[in-house]
Amino acid sequence: MLSRSILSRQACLRKSSHFSQRFASTKSLRETLQEVIPAKQEQLKKLKTEHGQAVLGDVKVDNVIGGMRGLKAMLWEASVLDPIEGIRFHGLSIPDCQKVLPAAPGGKEIIPESMLWLLLTGQVPTPEQTLALSRELAEKGELPKFLEELVDSFPRTLHPMTQLGMGVAALNHDSSFQAAYERGMKKPEYWSHTLEDCINLIARLPALAARIYRNVYKPGTDLAPIDKNLDLVGNYSNLLGYGDNHSLTEYLRLYIALHGDHEGGNASAHTAHLVGSTLSDPYLSYSAALFALAGPLHGLANQEVLRWQMAMQKELGNDITHEKIKEYLWKTLKSGQVVPGYGHGVLRNPDPRFIALQEFCESRPELKSSPIIDLVNKTFQVAPDVLKEHGKTKNPYPNVDATSGCVLYHYGLTEFKYYTVIFGVSRALGALTQLVWARALGLPLERPKSLSMDAIEKLIKNA
């Protein structure tokens, strides 16, 4: 169901006059935020003064030595991840978002600009607002000359994620926040300059990511110019050289929108929040997040799934049955490996993002007949029961990575190492919007207390 705030807002829109509807539909992202921020500031002030001593949960030794897993210790306004329901963005589930968020002109899938608007404001944008934001991003999408020369100087053998992180960090040369801070701006102005940096960075990510792709995998080919009439992903796909592949472009829109945010505790989002809490500008904060995303336990999952699926496909041959998949699953588990694409640190049901991507596959004849997608489907029909029988997996169901890379591969984007770069383009939507809110709400420097094992044992003994 839609959240009450969304439903009430829609009701108000229906009752309003034609003039007020037109006026609301033309408000810019900045104007909308200027209206929303005071209410959030007041909500935070009330929470601190009236409920500052309320207990949200106990800290156990397992939490401390287990990577702080499950601790309720971070403010993140854009999304909340429920173990059973999955992710909600300002109260909206993924199916809700697919119903109400605008798509690209002529397309059916969520456009990332509409998700960006929702994550920043908590409101569903109108098609007019979404198109205006697409236009703004396109107008700001060109890379500065110095960055083009820097990226072109990287050796082809340098990992694409390393190049992306270095490129994003170098963009802080033009940081509005850093320049304003050095001039001595006041704290109420922090969010505005942070917003400017975040929009500029999101706008430039497709050109940066595509330049890296072309340099590493297709050296010597020219990059198309930014088309001011295309949306963010339309330009990204075009820059990659896949502009004529409309199915891939639609898939990338859905992929980037759904991967935009997944609560604040994941490694990349948390890194952006932590570095941002030092008042580093958004470019430095997000470059740090990208290096967290590059780790094998975080952003590399979908390429690991694809490698595993292709190895299974090669071993089992053309006649792939459920029984053969079951045997291969047990072979994987008995060798001490995990089954890639299954399980999740928080979720205890099939990932709603996986379901959304599966529905996309079902809507496309070429994907329904794809051998690799067919293998994903058959594995989904077998793997949960095998993992339940195995008994060592808290969540035996697929996460989004179980299918995301396989669709990219089917459409011809077969360079595994590049997949995390696409993830990096998408995760900017959530991590950067929350930097804006961290500055608007005046969140402090993050500084948890650490303990040694001796200190923990002493606390237990004294308790």
Side-chain angles (χ1 to χ4, degrees):
M1 292 178 62
L2 296 179
S3 66
R4 291 182 180 178
S5 62
I6 298 294
L7 289 172
S8 62
R9 185 157 56 250
Q10 290 176 337
C12 290
L13 283 172
R14 285 194 294 270
K15 293 178 182 178
S16 63
S17 67
H18 177 66
F19 175 79
S20 63
Q21 284 184 29
R22 284 187 63 213
F23 179 78
S25 71
T26 57
K27 286 181 182 175
S28 70
L29 186 60
R30 182 178 290 273
E31 289 169 337
T32 304
L33 269 176
Q34 286 172 332
E35 291 183 352
V36 172
I37 283 173
K40 287 288 185 181
Q41 290 173 330
E42 185 59 32
Q43 182 183 9
L44 181 63
K45 181 180 178 181
K46 187 175 181 181
L47 279 172
K48 289 170 67 175
T49 56
E50 297 183 12
H51 306 288
Q53 299 304 308
V55 177
L56 296 178
D58 299 321
V59 178
K60 301 178 177 63
V61 173
D62 278 345
N63 299 129
V64 176
I65 64 177
M68 299 190 290
R69 179 102 10 139
L71 284 182
K72 299 178 179 68
M74 185 178 180
L75 184 62
W76 192 266
E77 278 295 288
S79 62
V80 175
L81 181 58
D82 181 84
I84 306 303
E85 286 189 338
I87 194 70
R88 282 183 177 270
F89 309 104
H90 287 289
L92 296 181
S93 68
I94 285 176
D96 293 336
C97 290
Q98 290 177 298
K99 291 176 184 175
V100 300
L101 289 181
K108 295 181 179 179
E109 304 302 332
I110 300 171
I111 191 172
E113 286 90 328
S114 62
M115 178 60 77
L116 173 60
W117 191 290
L118 174 65
L119 293 175
L120 257 176
T121 69
Q123 299 178 12
V124 174
T126 64
E128 295 88 348
Q129 289 171 321
T130 306
L131 284 171
L133 182 54
S134 290
R135 180 76 182 187
E136 179 182 358
L137 294 174
E139 289 174 348
K140 296 178 176 179
E142 299 285 353
L143 297 179
K145 186 66 176 178
F146 82 87
L147 190 67
E148 291 181 348
E149 294 173 351
L150 174 66
V151 174
D152 291 347
S153 74
F154 293 151
R156 289 181 60 196
T157 52
L158 188 63
H159 196 289
M161 279 298 285
T162 308
Q163 296 190 38
L164 184 65
M166 292 172 69
V168 167
L171 279 170
N172 96 312
H173 177 274
D174 299 330
S175 171
S176 173
F177 181 86
Q178 185 183 64
Y181 191 84
E182 289 176 357
R183 291 196 303 268
M185 67 173 161
K186 298 177 181 178
K187 286 186 177 181
E189 299 172 0
Y190 282 5
W191 76 264
S192 181
H193 290 280
T194 301
L195 175 65
E196 184 172 344
D197 279 353
C198 290
I199 293 298
N200 286 337
L201 175 51
I202 290 170
R204 289 171 168 179
L205 276 173
L208 173 58
R211 196 172 197 91
I212 292 167
Y213 177 79
R214 289 301 189 97
N215 286 350
V216 173
Y217 300 109
K218 298 180 181 180
T221 57
D222 293 330
L223 281 121
I226 298 289
D227 186 337
K228 302 298 193 296
N229 296 313
L230 287 178
D231 62 283
L232 190 76
V233 173
N235 268 308
Y236 186 27
S237 183
N238 203 36
L239 289 163
L240 288 171
Y242 293 91
D244 294 334
N245 191 331
H246 300 297
S247 293
L248 175 60
T249 303
E250 272 286 86
Y251 174 71
L252 285 172
R253 287 186 180 113
L254 179 63
Y255 175 96
I256 290 173
L258 295 186
H259 279 72
D261 197 41
H262 211 236
E263 211 176 52
N266 65 78
S268 54
H270 188 193
T271 300
H273 173 81
L274 171 62
V275 177
S277 78
T278 70
L279 292 187
S280 285
D281 65 64
Y283 300 102
L284 297 180
S285 301
Y286 195 59
S287 67
L290 288 167
F291 292 129
L293 189 66
L297 295 183
H298 191 16
L300 304 189
N302 66 0
Q303 65 192 55
E304 295 303 317
V305 170
L306 184 53
R307 284 196 183 96
W308 181 79
Q309 290 275 6
M310 293 179 72
M312 175 164 58
Q313 192 175 44
K314 182 178 180 180
E315 182 169 320
L316 301 185
N318 295 325
D319 183 24
I320 299 178
T321 65
H322 287 167
E323 190 59 34
K324 287 183 177 180
I325 293 173
K326 184 176 180 180
E327 292 173 2
Y328 193 85
L329 285 163
W330 276 115
K331 177 183 175 181
T332 299
L333 293 168
K334 288 177 180 178
S335 70
Q337 301 176 59
V338 299
V339 176
Y342 283 76
H344 191 275
V346 177
L347 292 171
R348 295 298 175 261
N349 266 335
D351 190 336
R353 297 172 301 173
F354 170 81
I355 301 301
L357 296 188
Q358 286 294 94
E359 290 172 351
F360 179 90
C361 293
E362 285 294 314
S363 71
R364 304 279 169 167
E366 71 275 12
L367 291 177
K368 290 180 71 174
S369 61
S370 168
I372 194 70
I373 301 301
D374 181 60
L375 186 55
V376 170
N377 293 333
K378 287 180 177 176
T379 304
F380 178 33
Q381 293 162 9
V382 176
D385 287 339
V386 170
L387 291 169
K388 288 176 186 176
E389 185 178 346
H390 185 246
K392 294 184 179 180
T393 304
K394 291 181 180 180
N395 174 21
Y397 299 107
N399 58 56
V400 68
D401 298 308
T403 190
S404 59
C406 298
V407 179
L408 293 173
Y409 187 86
H410 169 86
Y411 281 129
L413 217 163
T414 58
E415 297 85 5
F416 288 15
K417 284 186 177 181
Y418 188 76
Y419 289 0
T420 318
V421 172
I422 302 173
F423 196 172
V425 173
S426 67
R427 188 47 58 91
L429 301 181
L432 292 175
T433 57
Q434 289 311 289
L435 287 178
V436 177
W437 276 105
R439 304 285 162 84
L441 297 174
L443 299 186
L445 176 69
E446 186 173 293
R447 179 58 168 89
K449 171 67 177 170
S450 62
L451 296 169
S452 68
M453 287 189 284
D454 288 344
I456 292 172
E457 290 173 352
K458 184 178 180 181
L459 287 171
I460 293 169
K461 182 179 179 180
N462 291 339

